[in-house]
Amino acid sequence: MAQAPAPSTDVTAVAEEHATPAWARPDAKMDALIDDLMARMTLDEKIGQLTLLTSDWESTGPTMRDTYKQDIKSGRVGAIFNAYTAKYTTELQRVAVEETRLGIPLLFGYDVIHGHRTIFPISLGEAASWDMQAIEKSARVSAQEASAEGIHWTFSPMVDIARDARWGRISEGAGEDVYLGRKIAAARVHGYQGDDLRATDTVLATAKHFAAYGAAQAGRDYHTVDISERTLRDVYLPPFEAAVDAGVASFMTSFNEYDGVPASGSKYLLTDVLRDKWGFDGFVVTDYTSINEMVPHGYSKNLAQAGEQAINAGVDMDMQGAVYMENLANSVAEGRVDTATIDRAVRRILEAKYRLGLFEDPYRYADAEREKATLYKPEFLEAARDVARRSMVLLRNEGDVLPLAAAAKKIAVIGPLGDSKPDMIGSWAAGGDRQTRPVTILEGLRARAQSGTTVSYAKGASYDFSAAGSTDGFAEALALAGKSDIIIAAMGEKWDMTGEAASRTSLDLPGNQEALLERLVATGKPVVLVLLSGRPNSVEWASKNVPAILHAWYPGTQGGHAVADILFGDYNPSGKLPVTFPRTVGQVPIHYDMKNTGRPIELGAPGAKYVSRYLNTPNDPLYRFGYGLSYTDFAYSPVTLGSTSMGPRGSITASATVTNTGKRAGEEVVQLYVQDLVGSVTRPVQQLKGFEKILLQPGESRTVTFELHPDDLAFTRADMTHGWEPGEFRLWIAPSSGAQASTPVSFTLTE
């Protein structure tokens, strides 16, 4: 092992190079305009630019509280969220531009997470596609629709690594893996922002939640986080750094604390890492009232101190808490906040507005004609359908129950999610129509079924927690099942059981769904479980007894059509799990790249007691990260290495030939895994280091080649520096983290 460099825990000690994004390039004209404007601004007007307040949405449409409108007129608010439609944003913008002393335009933000009007699959579902073009397309369509309704800025992507399925917000991210998370973060940022922020069909992206929000203790939302600095650097920070590299324009702080300091008051995160180490040049906004929440955290004695801690740590904009609005001027007057600190934050906000072209034309995003022509475009709906089917994961297909046989003339759709429009689009559905637009599974199957095939429905069970133990609806469902050729059991979680403030202590199917599922299987009819949820569920009984299981996540506006495309075989499923599915909640947190123990179970004799194991459950998960079936089969050749060693400036290639040995064309996600056998600190049992999604015709073969460099094997070493170490590694190319398609091969990294 190489001699470690001199110890250093200073995060700024290692300089990193990050390319300057196009939007952040120097602009003398912008600097002159902002210099002139700031010279004329009062302190209160500057603080106003750092204040973000919400609009409202009532049954009659969008509204703004009278006090907020007055705040806009007095220059005390610089940005508004939850305001959209061309008409409404034009109205608010007119107040800011025409009725204020300086006429500074407003910035409009909104939670456009997985679609704006046309809703795509939830973010975790999109991640299951492992298809960066599809994910970027989803963000691109979202930006086009949102910007057509006057929105400049989305609070997305969420790039938190999440390894605890109890946490409801696991649905909003890319899953558990650092490498995949980095790729998806970049794809989403580019999808939202495009190549030119001045283009009126792009929006500013926001990397959130900075940082480590996905590590909330006990999987409980807003809870504290207690992880090592090494884990922070190696697991939770890399997707944020990837967002910086992709040119993300803004960051959002998280609700949790890290190392005893709430994120909105963390100079370490917001200045040392984000600004000084990564060179981020955009602006930082808090999450909803998170500055205020530093008081109940016990970090701030009052709101005034909280505001001082936040602005001095590096928070530029206060979302909804009005802490800056009410306290910062006094903090400046009493010398606890520098005017230079205020000016720096104000400049970042004004630069964002300038780069969007708002000083040139404040109304350029609010175009009623473009709005009418853009929303729900046929090509957007088709894109949503395509991304939805790419996201679905076939977990089981015993006896080739799927695709549905032509002989199945009587199809029964049974379950609370079979004909439920609101549930199809999941949480964080932005401006999506939850009541009329979504295509349900029943509707999708009926639209696709051939003449002479009947598709009937019975709800049968309930996903309400209170329904546990009830058999209401069973008789109707079982009667329908008895008259049918095949049963499609549409089950899972209600749409608001995942997302923010939706943590669970059980991962089982809620209500009385599993009880009905057992009765349906007992009829002897073939059963297909179509699972809709935003997290991994513990469906061990189903995995042993239900012939076919398709995880459809919450598939979006066109979800019912996408499900039908797969069930009828018009599309061959290609999704792979971006997160591990446990057998039981007792295994959580569980992820594929865990570390070994000194007593790994595989080193013990069968039934050995003193090894790392459970008494009543295998260590293995139910479904592994990277797993997903197809209607065809793929064979992998042994791995070929271009070399068995590489030096500090070298590289090696690893290749495998993949062959479609089945009778259908299909896509396969070919995955590269590496294990670092010995390090100055212990290393994971495996790590994803590459993947490629390929389409193969029946009988077709393709050689997939990956190239590895020393930096691909870097980590936070014992002395807290980041880099690689010489040593021996194992490598394999496989269809999932749980499969070694051939014997792993070894290579060395030399000094």
Side-chain angles (χ1 to χ4, degrees), residues 164-168 217-221 223 465 493 497 501-510 535-538 582-588:
D164 192 329
R166 295 172 297 181
W167 189 52
Q217 285 186 342
R220 197 172 79 231
D221 214 356
H223 202 1
F465 296 126
E493 297 180 320
M497 289 180 181
S503 299
R504 293 186 61 196
T505 58
S506 169
L507 303 179
D508 297 345
L509 296 180
R535 58 160 54 89
N537 293 106
S538 49
R583 297 173 184 273
T584 169
V585 73
Q587 292 179 304
V588 171

PDB file of all heavy atoms in Angstrom, residues 164-168 217-221 223 465 493 497 501-510 535-538 582-588:
ATOM      1  N   ASP A 164     -32.889   3.955   2.910  1.00  0.00           N
ATOM      2  CA  ASP A 164     -33.856   3.530   3.921  1.00  0.00           C
ATOM      3  C   ASP A 164     -35.242   3.677   3.324  1.00  0.00           C
ATOM      4  O   ASP A 164     -35.750   4.787   3.151  1.00  0.00           O
ATOM      5  CB  ASP A 164     -33.718   4.391   5.173  1.00  0.00           C
ATOM      6  CG  ASP A 164     -34.485   3.836   6.359  1.00  0.00           C
ATOM      7  OD1 ASP A 164     -35.535   3.192   6.129  1.00  0.00           O
ATOM      8  OD2 ASP A 164     -34.051   4.058   7.507  1.00  0.00           O
ATOM      9  N   ALA A 165     -35.863   2.551   2.997  1.00  0.00           N
ATOM     10  CA  ALA A 165     -37.160   2.571   2.320  1.00  0.00           C
ATOM     11  C   ALA A 165     -38.279   3.106   3.200  1.00  0.00           C
ATOM     12  O   ALA A 165     -39.363   3.410   2.699  1.00  0.00           O
ATOM     13  CB  ALA A 165     -37.508   1.168   1.824  1.00  0.00           C
ATOM     14  N   ARG A 166     -38.051   3.236   4.486  1.00  0.00           N
ATOM     15  CA  ARG A 166     -39.070   3.829   5.354  1.00  0.00           C
ATOM     16  C   ARG A 166     -39.257   5.310   5.051  1.00  0.00           C
ATOM     17  O   ARG A 166     -40.331   5.862   5.277  1.00  0.00           O
ATOM     18  CB  ARG A 166     -38.677   3.642   6.829  1.00  0.00           C
ATOM     19  CG  ARG A 166     -38.644   2.203   7.286  1.00  0.00           C
ATOM     20  CD  ARG A 166     -38.062   2.069   8.685  1.00  0.00           C
ATOM     21  NE  ARG A 166     -36.668   2.502   8.740  1.00  0.00           N
ATOM     22  CZ  ARG A 166     -35.927   2.465   9.848  1.00  0.00           C
ATOM     23  NH1 ARG A 166     -36.450   2.022  10.982  1.00  0.00           N
ATOM     24  NH2 ARG A 166     -34.661   2.858   9.822  1.00  0.00           N
ATOM     25  N   TRP A 167     -38.209   5.950   4.571  1.00  0.00           N
ATOM     26  CA  TRP A 167     -38.227   7.395   4.280  1.00  0.00           C
ATOM     27  C   TRP A 167     -39.076   7.655   3.050  1.00  0.00           C
ATOM     28  O   TRP A 167     -38.775   7.153   1.957  1.00  0.00           O
ATOM     29  CB  TRP A 167     -36.792   7.881   4.072  1.00  0.00           C
ATOM     30  CG  TRP A 167     -36.636   9.359   3.983  1.00  0.00           C
ATOM     31  CD1 TRP A 167     -37.102  10.296   4.855  1.00  0.00           C
ATOM     32  CD2 TRP A 167     -35.930  10.078   2.963  1.00  0.00           C
ATOM     33  NE1 TRP A 167     -36.727  11.565   4.450  1.00  0.00           N
ATOM     34  CE2 TRP A 167     -36.008  11.459   3.286  1.00  0.00           C
ATOM     35  CE3 TRP A 167     -35.240   9.699   1.811  1.00  0.00           C
ATOM     36  CZ2 TRP A 167     -35.436  12.445   2.501  1.00  0.00           C
ATOM     37  CZ3 TRP A 167     -34.658  10.682   1.035  1.00  0.00           C
ATOM     38  CH2 TRP A 167     -34.751  12.046   1.370  1.00  0.00           C
ATOM     39  N   GLY A 168     -40.137   8.446   3.200  1.00  0.00           N
ATOM     40  CA  GLY A 168     -41.058   8.657   2.095  1.00  0.00           C
ATOM     41  C   GLY A 168     -40.432   9.329   0.900  1.00  0.00           C
ATOM     42  O   GLY A 168     -40.830   9.099  -0.242  1.00  0.00           O
ATOM     43  N   GLN A 217     -32.333   9.571  10.385  1.00  0.00           N
ATOM     44  CA  GLN A 217     -32.381   8.447  11.314  1.00  0.00           C
ATOM     45  C   GLN A 217     -33.781   7.839  11.366  1.00  0.00           C
ATOM     46  O   GLN A 217     -34.784   8.540  11.377  1.00  0.00           O
ATOM     47  CB  GLN A 217     -31.965   8.902  12.713  1.00  0.00           C
ATOM     48  CG  GLN A 217     -30.479   9.121  12.856  1.00  0.00           C
ATOM     49  CD  GLN A 217     -30.078   9.431  14.292  1.00  0.00           C
ATOM     50  OE1 GLN A 217     -30.916   9.802  15.125  1.00  0.00           O
ATOM     51  NE2 GLN A 217     -28.808   9.288  14.602  1.00  0.00           N
ATOM     52  N   ALA A 218     -33.802   6.502  11.386  1.00  0.00           N
ATOM     53  CA  ALA A 218     -35.043   5.725  11.456  1.00  0.00           C
ATOM     54  C   ALA A 218     -35.946   5.953  10.252  1.00  0.00           C
ATOM     55  O   ALA A 218     -37.110   5.582  10.266  1.00  0.00           O
ATOM     56  CB  ALA A 218     -35.812   6.023  12.750  1.00  0.00           C
ATOM     57  N   GLY A 219     -35.410   6.579   9.200  1.00  0.00           N
ATOM     58  CA  GLY A 219     -36.208   6.824   8.015  1.00  0.00           C
ATOM     59  C   GLY A 219     -37.327   7.814   8.245  1.00  0.00           C
ATOM     60  O   GLY A 219     -38.271   7.883   7.458  1.00  0.00           O
ATOM     61  N   ARG A 220     -37.224   8.608   9.294  1.00  0.00           N
ATOM     62  CA  ARG A 220     -38.295   9.533   9.649  1.00  0.00           C
ATOM     63  C   ARG A 220     -37.986  10.915   9.096  1.00  0.00           C
ATOM     64  O   ARG A 220     -36.924  11.473   9.386  1.00  0.00           O
ATOM     65  CB  ARG A 220     -38.480   9.584  11.168  1.00  0.00           C
ATOM     66  CG  ARG A 220     -39.817  10.180  11.592  1.00  0.00           C
ATOM     67  CD  ARG A 220     -40.037  10.039  13.078  1.00  0.00           C
ATOM     68  NE  ARG A 220     -39.311  11.033  13.842  1.00  0.00           N
ATOM     69  CZ  ARG A 220     -38.516  10.763  14.871  1.00  0.00           C
ATOM     70  NH1 ARG A 220     -38.324   9.514  15.246  1.00  0.00           N
ATOM     71  NH2 ARG A 220     -37.911  11.729  15.524  1.00  0.00           N
ATOM     72  N   ASP A 221     -38.912  11.444   8.326  1.00  0.00           N
ATOM     73  CA  ASP A 221     -38.678  12.726   7.659  1.00  0.00           C
ATOM     74  C   ASP A 221     -38.380  13.833   8.669  1.00  0.00           C
ATOM     75  O   ASP A 221     -38.943  13.851   9.771  1.00  0.00           O
ATOM     76  CB  ASP A 221     -39.897  13.103   6.812  1.00  0.00           C
ATOM     77  CG  ASP A 221     -39.501  13.851   5.551  1.00  0.00           C
ATOM     78  OD1 ASP A 221     -38.304  14.143   5.383  1.00  0.00           O
ATOM     79  OD2 ASP A 221     -40.382  14.126   4.724  1.00  0.00           O
ATOM     80  N   HIS A 223     -35.910  14.181  10.432  1.00  0.00           N
ATOM     81  CA  HIS A 223     -35.145  13.733  11.594  1.00  0.00           C
ATOM     82  C   HIS A 223     -33.674  14.098  11.410  1.00  0.00           C
ATOM     83  O   HIS A 223     -33.233  14.482  10.332  1.00  0.00           O
ATOM     84  CB  HIS A 223     -35.312  12.217  11.758  1.00  0.00           C
ATOM     85  CG  HIS A 223     -35.043  11.702  13.135  1.00  0.00           C
ATOM     86  ND1 HIS A 223     -34.701  12.521  14.182  1.00  0.00           N
ATOM     87  CD2 HIS A 223     -35.034  10.431  13.644  1.00  0.00           C
ATOM     88  CE1 HIS A 223     -34.524  11.789  15.270  1.00  0.00           C
ATOM     89  NE2 HIS A 223     -34.710  10.517  14.964  1.00  0.00           N
ATOM     90  N   PHE A 465     -54.910   2.140   5.908  1.00  0.00           N
ATOM     91  CA  PHE A 465     -54.363   1.397   7.039  1.00  0.00           C
ATOM     92  C   PHE A 465     -55.471   0.781   7.888  1.00  0.00           C
ATOM     93  O   PHE A 465     -55.324  -0.312   8.434  1.00  0.00           O
ATOM     94  CB  PHE A 465     -53.498   2.321   7.907  1.00  0.00           C
ATOM     95  CG  PHE A 465     -52.273   2.851   7.204  1.00  0.00           C
ATOM     96  CD1 PHE A 465     -52.031   4.213   7.142  1.00  0.00           C
ATOM     97  CD2 PHE A 465     -51.361   1.996   6.613  1.00  0.00           C
ATOM     98  CE1 PHE A 465     -50.906   4.713   6.510  1.00  0.00           C
ATOM     99  CE2 PHE A 465     -50.227   2.480   5.971  1.00  0.00           C
ATOM    100  CZ  PHE A 465     -49.997   3.842   5.917  1.00  0.00           C
ATOM    101  N   GLU A 493     -49.447   1.288  -2.703  1.00  0.00           N
ATOM    102  CA  GLU A 493     -49.664   2.347  -1.732  1.00  0.00           C
ATOM    103  C   GLU A 493     -50.451   3.500  -2.347  1.00  0.00           C
ATOM    104  O   GLU A 493     -50.310   3.797  -3.537  1.00  0.00           O
ATOM    105  CB  GLU A 493     -48.319   2.883  -1.223  1.00  0.00           C
ATOM    106  CG  GLU A 493     -47.498   1.849  -0.480  1.00  0.00           C
ATOM    107  CD  GLU A 493     -46.171   2.408   0.007  1.00  0.00           C
ATOM    108  OE1 GLU A 493     -45.530   3.183  -0.733  1.00  0.00           O
ATOM    109  OE2 GLU A 493     -45.781   2.065   1.129  1.00  0.00           O
ATOM    110  N   MET A 497     -48.786   8.157   0.338  1.00  0.00           N
ATOM    111  CA  MET A 497     -48.056   7.364   1.328  1.00  0.00           C
ATOM    112  C   MET A 497     -46.549   7.411   1.086  1.00  0.00           C
ATOM    113  O   MET A 497     -45.774   6.836   1.855  1.00  0.00           O
ATOM    114  CB  MET A 497     -48.547   5.917   1.324  1.00  0.00           C
ATOM    115  CG  MET A 497     -49.928   5.728   1.899  1.00  0.00           C
ATOM    116  SD  MET A 497     -50.453   4.000   1.864  1.00  0.00           S
ATOM    117  CE  MET A 497     -52.100   4.134   2.568  1.00  0.00           C
ATOM    118  N   ALA A 501     -43.017  13.933   4.316  1.00  0.00           N
ATOM    119  CA  ALA A 501     -43.827  13.650   5.510  1.00  0.00           C
ATOM    120  C   ALA A 501     -44.643  12.376   5.343  1.00  0.00           C
ATOM    121  O   ALA A 501     -45.784  12.290   5.789  1.00  0.00           O
ATOM    122  CB  ALA A 501     -44.736  14.841   5.838  1.00  0.00           C
ATOM    123  N   ALA A 502     -44.070  11.376   4.691  1.00  0.00           N
ATOM    124  CA  ALA A 502     -44.789  10.125   4.435  1.00  0.00           C
ATOM    125  C   ALA A 502     -43.889   8.926   4.745  1.00  0.00           C
ATOM    126  O   ALA A 502     -43.706   8.034   3.929  1.00  0.00           O
ATOM    127  CB  ALA A 502     -45.269  10.075   2.982  1.00  0.00           C
ATOM    128  N   SER A 503     -43.330   8.937   5.939  1.00  0.00           N
ATOM    129  CA  SER A 503     -42.494   7.825   6.365  1.00  0.00           C
ATOM    130  C   SER A 503     -43.361   6.719   6.960  1.00  0.00           C
ATOM    131  O   SER A 503     -44.437   6.979   7.497  1.00  0.00           O
ATOM    132  CB  SER A 503     -41.466   8.306   7.394  1.00  0.00           C
ATOM    133  OG  SER A 503     -40.632   9.287   6.835  1.00  0.00           O
ATOM    134  N   ARG A 504     -42.866   5.482   6.845  1.00  0.00           N
ATOM    135  CA  ARG A 504     -43.620   4.333   7.359  1.00  0.00           C
ATOM    136  C   ARG A 504     -42.702   3.430   8.179  1.00  0.00           C
ATOM    137  O   ARG A 504     -41.509   3.341   7.897  1.00  0.00           O
ATOM    138  CB  ARG A 504     -44.212   3.509   6.209  1.00  0.00           C
ATOM    139  CG  ARG A 504     -45.287   4.193   5.402  1.00  0.00           C
ATOM    140  CD  ARG A 504     -45.892   3.220   4.377  1.00  0.00           C
ATOM    141  NE  ARG A 504     -46.495   2.075   5.034  1.00  0.00           N
ATOM    142  CZ  ARG A 504     -46.819   0.919   4.417  1.00  0.00           C
ATOM    143  NH1 ARG A 504     -46.572   0.784   3.126  1.00  0.00           N
ATOM    144  NH2 ARG A 504     -47.375  -0.070   5.073  1.00  0.00           N
ATOM    145  N   THR A 505     -43.273   2.750   9.161  1.00  0.00           N
ATOM    146  CA  THR A 505     -42.504   1.759   9.917  1.00  0.00           C
ATOM    147  C   THR A 505     -42.723   0.355   9.379  1.00  0.00           C
ATOM    148  O   THR A 505     -42.119  -0.601   9.852  1.00  0.00           O
ATOM    149  CB  THR A 505     -42.884   1.772  11.409  1.00  0.00           C
ATOM    150  OG1 THR A 505     -44.283   1.508  11.537  1.00  0.00           O
ATOM    151  CG2 THR A 505     -42.531   3.100  12.042  1.00  0.00           C
ATOM    152  N   SER A 506     -43.591   0.213   8.407  1.00  0.00           N
ATOM    153  CA  SER A 506     -43.816  -1.071   7.735  1.00  0.00           C
ATOM    154  C   SER A 506     -43.687  -0.839   6.236  1.00  0.00           C
ATOM    155  O   SER A 506     -44.099   0.206   5.719  1.00  0.00           O
ATOM    156  CB  SER A 506     -45.208  -1.607   8.051  1.00  0.00           C
ATOM    157  OG  SER A 506     -45.526  -2.704   7.207  1.00  0.00           O
ATOM    158  N   LEU A 507     -43.125  -1.822   5.552  1.00  0.00           N
ATOM    159  CA  LEU A 507     -43.031  -1.757   4.094  1.00  0.00           C
ATOM    160  C   LEU A 507     -44.010  -2.719   3.432  1.00  0.00           C
ATOM    161  O   LEU A 507     -44.005  -2.884   2.215  1.00  0.00           O
ATOM    162  CB  LEU A 507     -41.597  -2.087   3.646  1.00  0.00           C
ATOM    163  CG  LEU A 507     -40.503  -1.196   4.236  1.00  0.00           C
ATOM    164  CD1 LEU A 507     -39.139  -1.652   3.739  1.00  0.00           C
ATOM    165  CD2 LEU A 507     -40.741   0.264   3.885  1.00  0.00           C
ATOM    166  N   ASP A 508     -44.869  -3.357   4.237  1.00  0.00           N
ATOM    167  CA  ASP A 508     -45.859  -4.289   3.701  1.00  0.00           C
ATOM    168  C   ASP A 508     -46.925  -3.531   2.914  1.00  0.00           C
ATOM    169  O   ASP A 508     -47.102  -2.312   3.078  1.00  0.00           O
ATOM    170  CB  ASP A 508     -46.547  -5.046   4.844  1.00  0.00           C
ATOM    171  CG  ASP A 508     -45.574  -5.908   5.632  1.00  0.00           C
ATOM    172  OD1 ASP A 508     -44.458  -6.145   5.137  1.00  0.00           O
ATOM    173  OD2 ASP A 508     -45.939  -6.319   6.749  1.00  0.00           O
ATOM    174  N   LEU A 509     -47.665  -4.252   2.095  1.00  0.00           N
ATOM    175  CA  LEU A 509     -48.807  -3.654   1.419  1.00  0.00           C
ATOM    176  C   LEU A 509     -49.807  -3.204   2.479  1.00  0.00           C
ATOM    177  O   LEU A 509     -50.221  -3.994   3.325  1.00  0.00           O
ATOM    178  CB  LEU A 509     -49.470  -4.664   0.482  1.00  0.00           C
ATOM    179  CG  LEU A 509     -48.632  -5.173  -0.693  1.00  0.00           C
ATOM    180  CD1 LEU A 509     -49.438  -6.166  -1.524  1.00  0.00           C
ATOM    181  CD2 LEU A 509     -48.158  -4.021  -1.561  1.00  0.00           C
ATOM    182  N   PRO A 510     -50.194  -1.932   2.479  1.00  0.00           N
ATOM    183  CA  PRO A 510     -51.090  -1.445   3.529  1.00  0.00           C
ATOM    184  C   PRO A 510     -52.516  -1.963   3.356  1.00  0.00           C
ATOM    185  O   PRO A 510     -52.924  -2.390   2.272  1.00  0.00           O
ATOM    186  CB  PRO A 510     -51.037   0.072   3.345  1.00  0.00           C
ATOM    187  CG  PRO A 510     -50.694   0.271   1.904  1.00  0.00           C
ATOM    188  CD  PRO A 510     -49.798  -0.874   1.537  1.00  0.00           C
ATOM    189  N   ARG A 535     -41.680   3.392  -3.145  1.00  0.00           N
ATOM    190  CA  ARG A 535     -40.574   2.873  -2.330  1.00  0.00           C
ATOM    191  C   ARG A 535     -40.482   1.365  -2.526  1.00  0.00           C
ATOM    192  O   ARG A 535     -41.413   0.744  -3.050  1.00  0.00           O
ATOM    193  CB  ARG A 535     -40.814   3.174  -0.854  1.00  0.00           C
ATOM    194  CG  ARG A 535     -42.118   2.581  -0.327  1.00  0.00           C
ATOM    195  CD  ARG A 535     -42.160   2.449   1.194  1.00  0.00           C
ATOM    196  NE  ARG A 535     -41.875   3.651   1.921  1.00  0.00           N
ATOM    197  CZ  ARG A 535     -42.760   4.562   2.292  1.00  0.00           C
ATOM    198  NH1 ARG A 535     -44.042   4.399   1.958  1.00  0.00           N
ATOM    199  NH2 ARG A 535     -42.420   5.624   2.988  1.00  0.00           N
ATOM    200  N   PRO A 536     -39.406   0.740  -2.107  1.00  0.00           N
ATOM    201  CA  PRO A 536     -39.372  -0.721  -2.064  1.00  0.00           C
ATOM    202  C   PRO A 536     -40.382  -1.233  -1.043  1.00  0.00           C
ATOM    203  O   PRO A 536     -40.468  -0.705   0.071  1.00  0.00           O
ATOM    204  CB  PRO A 536     -37.943  -1.033  -1.611  1.00  0.00           C
ATOM    205  CG  PRO A 536     -37.157   0.183  -1.938  1.00  0.00           C
ATOM    206  CD  PRO A 536     -38.108   1.339  -1.741  1.00  0.00           C
ATOM    207  N   ASN A 537     -41.148  -2.216  -1.428  1.00  0.00           N
ATOM    208  CA  ASN A 537     -42.100  -2.839  -0.504  1.00  0.00           C
ATOM    209  C   ASN A 537     -41.654  -4.262  -0.179  1.00  0.00           C
ATOM    210  O   ASN A 537     -41.028  -4.941  -0.998  1.00  0.00           O
ATOM    211  CB  ASN A 537     -43.501  -2.869  -1.098  1.00  0.00           C
ATOM    212  CG  ASN A 537     -44.088  -1.484  -1.253  1.00  0.00           C
ATOM    213  OD1 ASN A 537     -44.184  -0.958  -2.352  1.00  0.00           O
ATOM    214  ND2 ASN A 537     -44.472  -0.867  -0.146  1.00  0.00           N
ATOM    215  N   SER A 538     -41.984  -4.710   1.017  1.00  0.00           N
ATOM    216  CA  SER A 538     -41.653  -6.081   1.418  1.00  0.00           C
ATOM    217  C   SER A 538     -42.791  -6.990   0.973  1.00  0.00           C
ATOM    218  O   SER A 538     -43.810  -7.102   1.642  1.00  0.00           O
ATOM    219  CB  SER A 538     -41.426  -6.160   2.929  1.00  0.00           C
ATOM    220  OG  SER A 538     -42.479  -5.533   3.641  1.00  0.00           O
ATOM    221  N   PRO A 582     -35.926  -4.982   0.420  1.00  0.00           N
ATOM    222  CA  PRO A 582     -35.723  -5.901   1.545  1.00  0.00           C
ATOM    223  C   PRO A 582     -36.830  -6.943   1.635  1.00  0.00           C
ATOM    224  O   PRO A 582     -37.922  -6.764   1.096  1.00  0.00           O
ATOM    225  CB  PRO A 582     -35.769  -4.965   2.748  1.00  0.00           C
ATOM    226  CG  PRO A 582     -36.695  -3.871   2.319  1.00  0.00           C
ATOM    227  CD  PRO A 582     -36.456  -3.679   0.838  1.00  0.00           C
ATOM    228  N   ARG A 583     -36.525  -8.020   2.314  1.00  0.00           N
ATOM    229  CA  ARG A 583     -37.570  -9.011   2.605  1.00  0.00           C
ATOM    230  C   ARG A 583     -38.535  -8.476   3.657  1.00  0.00           C
ATOM    231  O   ARG A 583     -39.731  -8.719   3.618  1.00  0.00           O
ATOM    232  CB  ARG A 583     -36.928 -10.309   3.127  1.00  0.00           C
ATOM    233  CG  ARG A 583     -36.019 -11.001   2.130  1.00  0.00           C
ATOM    234  CD  ARG A 583     -35.303 -12.178   2.773  1.00  0.00           C
ATOM    235  NE  ARG A 583     -34.371 -12.778   1.835  1.00  0.00           N
ATOM    236  CZ  ARG A 583     -34.703 -13.718   0.952  1.00  0.00           C
ATOM    237  NH1 ARG A 583     -35.942 -14.177   0.924  1.00  0.00           N
ATOM    238  NH2 ARG A 583     -33.807 -14.206   0.124  1.00  0.00           N
ATOM    239  N   THR A 584     -37.969  -7.751   4.603  1.00  0.00           N
ATOM    240  CA  THR A 584     -38.747  -7.227   5.720  1.00  0.00           C
ATOM    241  C   THR A 584     -38.129  -5.911   6.162  1.00  0.00           C
ATOM    242  O   THR A 584     -36.931  -5.664   5.943  1.00  0.00           O
ATOM    243  CB  THR A 584     -38.755  -8.217   6.903  1.00  0.00           C
ATOM    244  OG1 THR A 584     -39.300  -7.580   8.056  1.00  0.00           O
ATOM    245  CG2 THR A 584     -37.359  -8.710   7.238  1.00  0.00           C
ATOM    246  N   VAL A 585     -38.913  -5.075   6.787  1.00  0.00           N
ATOM    247  CA  VAL A 585     -38.418  -3.783   7.252  1.00  0.00           C
ATOM    248  C   VAL A 585     -37.284  -3.952   8.255  1.00  0.00           C
ATOM    249  O   VAL A 585     -36.445  -3.059   8.431  1.00  0.00           O
ATOM    250  CB  VAL A 585     -39.573  -2.953   7.855  1.00  0.00           C
ATOM    251  CG1 VAL A 585     -40.001  -3.505   9.209  1.00  0.00           C
ATOM    252  CG2 VAL A 585     -39.196  -1.476   7.963  1.00  0.00           C
ATOM    253  N   GLY A 586     -37.199  -5.131   8.880  1.00  0.00           N
ATOM    254  CA  GLY A 586     -36.126  -5.388   9.842  1.00  0.00           C
ATOM    255  C   GLY A 586     -34.746  -5.412   9.237  1.00  0.00           C
ATOM    256  O   GLY A 586     -33.748  -5.319   9.958  1.00  0.00           O
ATOM    257  N   GLN A 587     -34.638  -5.531   7.918  1.00  0.00           N
ATOM    258  CA  GLN A 587     -33.330  -5.503   7.258  1.00  0.00           C
ATOM    259  C   GLN A 587     -32.857  -4.082   6.937  1.00  0.00           C
ATOM    260  O   GLN A 587     -31.713  -3.894   6.527  1.00  0.00           O
ATOM    261  CB  GLN A 587     -33.390  -6.292   5.947  1.00  0.00           C
ATOM    262  CG  GLN A 587     -33.566  -7.793   6.109  1.00  0.00           C
ATOM    263  CD  GLN A 587     -33.632  -8.473   4.746  1.00  0.00           C
ATOM    264  OE1 GLN A 587     -34.470  -8.127   3.915  1.00  0.00           O
ATOM    265  NE2 GLN A 587     -32.763  -9.434   4.527  1.00  0.00           N
ATOM    266  N   VAL A 588     -33.737  -3.122   7.093  1.00  0.00           N
ATOM    267  CA  VAL A 588     -33.455  -1.743   6.693  1.00  0.00           C
ATOM    268  C   VAL A 588     -32.588  -1.055   7.742  1.00  0.00           C
ATOM    269  O   VAL A 588     -32.819  -1.228   8.943  1.00  0.00           O
ATOM    270  CB  VAL A 588     -34.790  -0.990   6.506  1.00  0.00           C
ATOM    271  CG1 VAL A 588     -34.568   0.491   6.311  1.00  0.00           C
ATOM    272  CG2 VAL A 588     -35.562  -1.590   5.329  1.00  0.00           C
TER     273      VAL A 588
END
